[in-house]
Amino acid sequence: MEATWRWFGPKDPIRLEEIRQTGATGIVTALHEVPNDEAWSLEAIRERKALIEAAGLSWSVVESVPVPEAIKQGRPERDALIATYCQTLRNLAAGGIDTVCYNFMPVLDWTRTDLSWSLPDGALALRFDQVAFAAFDLYLLKRPGAEAEYADAEKAEAWAYLEALDATGRDTLISTLIAGLPGAEEHYSLEQFRGVLADYADIDAARLREHLGYFLAAVIPVAEEVGIRMAIHPDDPPRPMLGLPRVVSTPDDARWLLDAVPSPANGLTLCTGSYGVRADIDLADMVRRFGPSIYFAHLRATRREVPDPRSFHEAAHLDGDVDMVAVIAALVAEERRREREGGPRLPLRPDHGHHILDDQQRKTAPGYPLYGRLKGLAELRGVEHAVRQLT
Ligand code: DNO
């Protein structure tokens, strides 16, 4: 498998020369500076690729070509935006890039309530606290209809949580949830956020799935024609949020997606951190079931909390609820099949990492520190190495 590393472009405080020493050989990046409704030019793609190659690395995966909200909402302007999306895919293929990660989460990309939660050893982790989330939903966002979705005990707990926060704490919670985490290209104020939630008033899971199907029917044939593999990233967390539907949360959703437009260009990102939040998903089994359609892997672990398993924090890569050794063993088996039958190597990246050691002095994006990810990658590569040797 190809070890890769997410790099946010020339503005990333972690330099390509440093990434070269992590053990990664591939880069995962995007032209983050291009607005979501514009095509990426071939020239800009070539320029970014040359920069990466000058550092002795290769551009393995695009993460992400973002899907504009109007496409997710099925608005009339979606056809023009889908044409722009396809142009980006054509330009990426012409530039020599063949794997594209994307997601179809309405409004929000990945979501956490705390970006620097202290672990007993002093490492800082990302966390999703259901109580903080409810406090935001009920008393800061004041979402219409929210009151009816929570039990009285949950409301009381959320209220107590809110009361304990000062003004700065409340602002931090709001911006953590809606101002956009790295890689999420949409950023909202509370007012804008209420507006965009209202745009989804009539969009339930069935309609969102229709919009996803419409997008796939238009985009996958173009991707197939130019030789791009599309790898959809699952919802994070994998469940509906704030009254918004989500349709890429389970193995059944993945099956639906692959069957909607069967094509070698239509595939998955296996994110063990996102799918792994659900206790009902066996990730190694998912690899065995969907192996040939997995075009990219995000390896990361979360730990569900007690008493409410909807709360979780990001654990060390080998120390969460997911059986990472079993997942890597299944991925190695799939990789060997590809070696025999001639398929693309699987790019994987250590997804997220704790902020440890000097990470706590350097200003890197939440979840994307240097040493924390380096440690995660070293552990994952160690497991892969051992699995390969012993099986
Ligand atoms: C978070 C990332 C996501 C991911 C997108 C893919 O760390 O895994 O932002 O890049 O959902 O489109």
Side-chain angles (χ1 to χ4, degrees):
M1 295 185 281
E2 185 195 16
T4 66
W5 185 277
R6 190 174 199 183
W7 177 66
F8 290 105
K11 289 197 183 135
D12 193 319
I14 299 172
R15 291 174 295 114
L16 291 168
E17 292 69 27
E18 292 175 295
I19 298 172
R20 185 97 195 262
Q21 295 181 3
T22 63
T25 54
I27 288 294
V28 173
T29 195
L31 301 186
H32 293 283
E33 63 281 12
V34 181
N36 283 5
D37 56 356
E38 281 177 25
W40 300 8
S41 73
L42 179 54
E43 194 193 358
I45 293 165
R46 287 203 170 123
E47 204 179 301
R48 190 61 51 89
K49 189 161 179 262
L51 200 65
I52 293 168
E53 288 172 359
L57 295 157
S58 59
W59 186 352
S60 307
V61 178
V62 170
E63 181 175 352
S64 307
V65 181
V67 179
E69 271 298 309
I71 296 179
K72 296 177 195 163
Q73 293 175 16
R75 300 170 86 92
E77 59 275 32
R78 72 175 155 180
D79 290 328
L81 289 164
I82 288 176
T84 303
Y85 199 97
C86 291
Q87 190 56 49
T88 296
L89 297 185
R90 289 184 190 281
N91 292 349
L92 283 168
I97 313 283
D98 60 13
T99 308
V100 170
C101 172
Y102 69 107
N103 75 73
F104 214 79
M105 288 177 250
V107 190
L108 293 169
D109 190 326
W110 58 304
T111 308
R112 299 289 181 272
T113 59
D114 191 341
L115 305 180
S116 48
W117 192 60
S118 295
L119 293 165
D121 64 359
L124 301 175
L126 306 177
R127 179 172 185 237
F128 183 95
D129 174 9
Q130 180 62 28
V131 177
F133 183 73
F136 165 78
D137 190 11
L138 289 162
Y139 307 121
L140 296 171
L141 177 62
K142 303 188 175 79
R143 178 171 60 89
E147 290 271 346
E149 293 171 24
Y150 294 89
D152 287 347
E154 286 178 298
K155 285 186 215 169
E157 218 185 333
W159 180 253
Y161 181 92
L162 186 86
E163 290 246 284
L165 286 183
D166 60 13
T168 315
R170 291 176 188 198
D171 286 348
T172 305
L173 180 60
I174 293 171
S175 64
T176 302
L177 278 159
I178 65 173
L181 287 172
E185 314 296 352
E186 313 269 6
H187 312 277
Y188 302 100
S189 68
L190 211 44
E191 243 353 274
Q192 293 165 327
F193 192 67
R194 288 189 183 108
V196 70
L197 284 187
D199 291 340
Y200 277 88
D202 296 327
I203 304 177
D204 59 6
R207 270 198 63 197
L208 184 65
R209 207 169 273 126
E210 256 175 60
H211 299 166
L212 174 56
Y214 187 94
F215 172 77
L216 293 170
V219 165
I220 295 297
V222 174
E224 183 172 338
E225 178 199 325
V226 299
I228 292 233
R229 287 181 290 275
M230 297 293 291
I232 198 163
H233 188 283
D235 307 325
D236 180 3
R239 54 182 183 245
M241 315 257 308
L242 304 172
L244 295 167
R246 285 189 155 183
V247 295
V248 193
S249 297
T250 65
D252 285 350
D253 292 339
R255 185 74 270 156
W256 176 89
L257 174 115
L258 297 174
D259 291 346
V261 183
S263 159
N266 190 14
L268 310 172
T269 295
L270 180 88
C271 178
T272 56
S274 305
Y275 285 119
V277 159
R278 295 179 71 111
D280 59 352
I281 295 183
D282 175 341
L283 267 303
D285 183 57
M286 254 191 107
V287 176
R288 288 187 287 270
R289 283 174 60 192
F290 294 106
S293 302
I294 296 173
Y295 294 144
F296 185 29
H298 283 182
L299 299 186
R300 159 168 83 78
T302 54
R303 191 165 281 285
R304 289 180 288 277
E305 297 180 8
V306 182
D308 186 342
R310 289 174 299 176
S311 297
F312 62 89
H313 60 269
E314 300 203 1
H317 287 75
L318 301 185
D319 196 29
D321 294 315
V322 55
D323 184 345
M324 194 63 87
V325 174
V327 169
I328 292 179
L331 287 173
V332 166
E334 166 59 19
E335 185 80 348
R336 285 188 170 140
R337 187 196 63 77
R338 295 178 190 195
E339 283 159 13
R340 281 193 311 274
E341 297 174 17
R345 263 175 97 199
L346 179 73
L348 66 83
R349 70 173 179 84
D351 196 14
H352 305 176
H354 291 160
H355 289 248
I356 57 173
L357 309 167
D358 286 359
D359 292 332
Q360 298 183 5
Q361 269 71 55
R362 195 197 279 231
K363 220 180 148 14
T364 47
Y368 287 92
L370 177 56
Y371 297 104
R373 278 189 292 166
L374 170 63
K375 180 176 172 222
L377 180 59
E379 291 178 346
L380 298 168
R381 290 174 72 220
V383 173
E384 183 190 349
H385 201 79
V387 165
R388 278 191 178 271
Q389 202 154 320
L390 297 173
T391 60

